[in-house]
Amino acid sequence: QVQLQESGPGLVKPSETLSLTCAVSGYSISSGYYWGWIRQPPGKGLEWIGSIYHSGSTYYNPSLKSRVTISVDTSKNQFSLKLSSVTAADTAVYYCASPIAVAGAFDIWGQGTMVTVSS
Amino acid sequence: SYVLTQPPSVSVAPGQTARITCGGNNIGSKSVHWYQQKPGQAPVLVVYDDSDRPSGIPERFSGSNSGNTATLTISRVEAGDEADYYCQVWDSSSDHPYVFGTGTKVTVL
């Protein structure tokens, strides 16, 4: 059974870079699938941030593309998110998620991690 | 980018049927997925590819998709169905392949 677990700082200062990691268990990330990041500001809806294929190909939300980098570390079986030049608008719960059994749908989610942007 | 519009809220009495719509331009040509999200929890996939259910999801959850509207139907609504629901589509040819709907809060009266 595939499981995802996010980790990273819960507080980031404005203009700095938000960095999160998603550890994958129950499956070798190098074997396939897309691995994605989704966020949800407090009281608001879901927003897809970007996804990475196991080979390293990346796909980013055009509205965030200039600030987002997603990478894979197959040796640690994890993938990461970096979001630069953050502002208060980037305060959100950040989820890692993946379409494992269903192409195009996120059927596996991490529990989510709250990141607050504040000085 | 592609926009998916949902009603902000739907109210339903226990035992009745809730219908949640998801509007998008020619959405009938796309595969639509639905998620249930309870407070403080990650979303859970309840319907995929318009009308299929993942293992463990009750048959009370069903979906349809045609024209410019997709619909999630919850039959025989229970108190435990109270949650936010989101539709989502995937367009592999788009530069924004994953799009979520605006979300609908289902309240069980």
Side-chain angles (χ1 to χ4, degrees):
Chain A
Q1 180 181 357
V2 181
Q3 293 185 317
L4 307 178
Q5 178 66 60
E6 305 90 347
S7 62
L11 181 64
V12 181
K13 290 182 169 56
S15 79
E16 296 190 344
T17 296
L18 178 159
S19 296
L20 296 174
T21 296
C22 181
V24 180
S25 59
Y27 185 81
S28 173
I29 204 169
S30 61
S31 296
Y33 297 133
Y34 288 90
W35 307 93
W37 289 96
I38 293 157
R39 70 180 183 178
Q40 184 173 37
K44 296 187 178 181
L46 301 168
E47 178 182 35
W48 172 72
I49 299 170
S51 297
I52 187 167
Y53 195 48
H54 70 99
S55 62
S57 300
T58 52
Y59 307 86
Y60 299 137
N61 186 323
S63 69
L64 299 169
K65 188 174 184 177
S66 64
R67 299 193 292 130
V68 173
T69 302
I70 297 176
S71 59
V72 166
D73 186 339
T74 55
S75 66
K76 296 182 178 179
N77 213 41
Q78 63 186 31
F79 60 106
S80 299
L81 167 70
K82 291 188 184 299
L83 181 65
S84 64
S85 304
V86 297
T87 69
D90 295 309
T91 293
V93 175
Y94 285 76
Y95 296 99
C96 56
S98 182
I100 297 292
V102 181
F106 296 99
D107 55 332
I108 301 295
W109 294 71
Q111 65 184 25
T113 187
M114 180 67 198
V115 179
T116 301
V117 178
S118 175
S119 56
Chain B
S1 63
Y2 195 69
V3 176
L4 296 174
T5 302
Q6 299 179 234
S9 62
V10 168
S11 298
V12 60
Q16 299 303 303
T17 298
R19 294 180 178 84
I20 305 161
T21 58
C22 176
N25 185 35
N26 197 27
I27 195 174
S29 67
K30 305 179 186 296
S31 287
V32 179
H33 317 296
W34 291 91
Y35 302 85
Q36 175 193 69
Q37 186 181 34
K38 296 182 178 180
Q41 298 183 18
V44 173
L45 183 67
V46 293
V47 167
Y48 67 93
D49 290 346
D50 297 341
S51 58
D52 291 331
R53 282 184 309 278
S55 174
I57 301 300
E59 292 183 4
R60 300 184 298 104
F61 290 84
S62 62
S64 63
N65 184 18
S66 179
N68 293 317
T69 304
T71 302
L72 174 69
T73 301
I74 311 173
S75 303
R76 301 180 300 282
V77 166
E78 303 173 356
D81 298 330
E82 186 163 290
D84 294 325
Y85 291 83
Y86 295 90
C87 58
Q88 178 246 315
V89 298
W90 177 52
D91 184 348
S92 60
S93 64
S94 170
D95 65 347
H96 190 168
Y98 299 98
V99 177
F100 287 95
T102 51
T104 298
K105 168 67 176 179
V106 170
T107 299
V108 181
L109 301 172

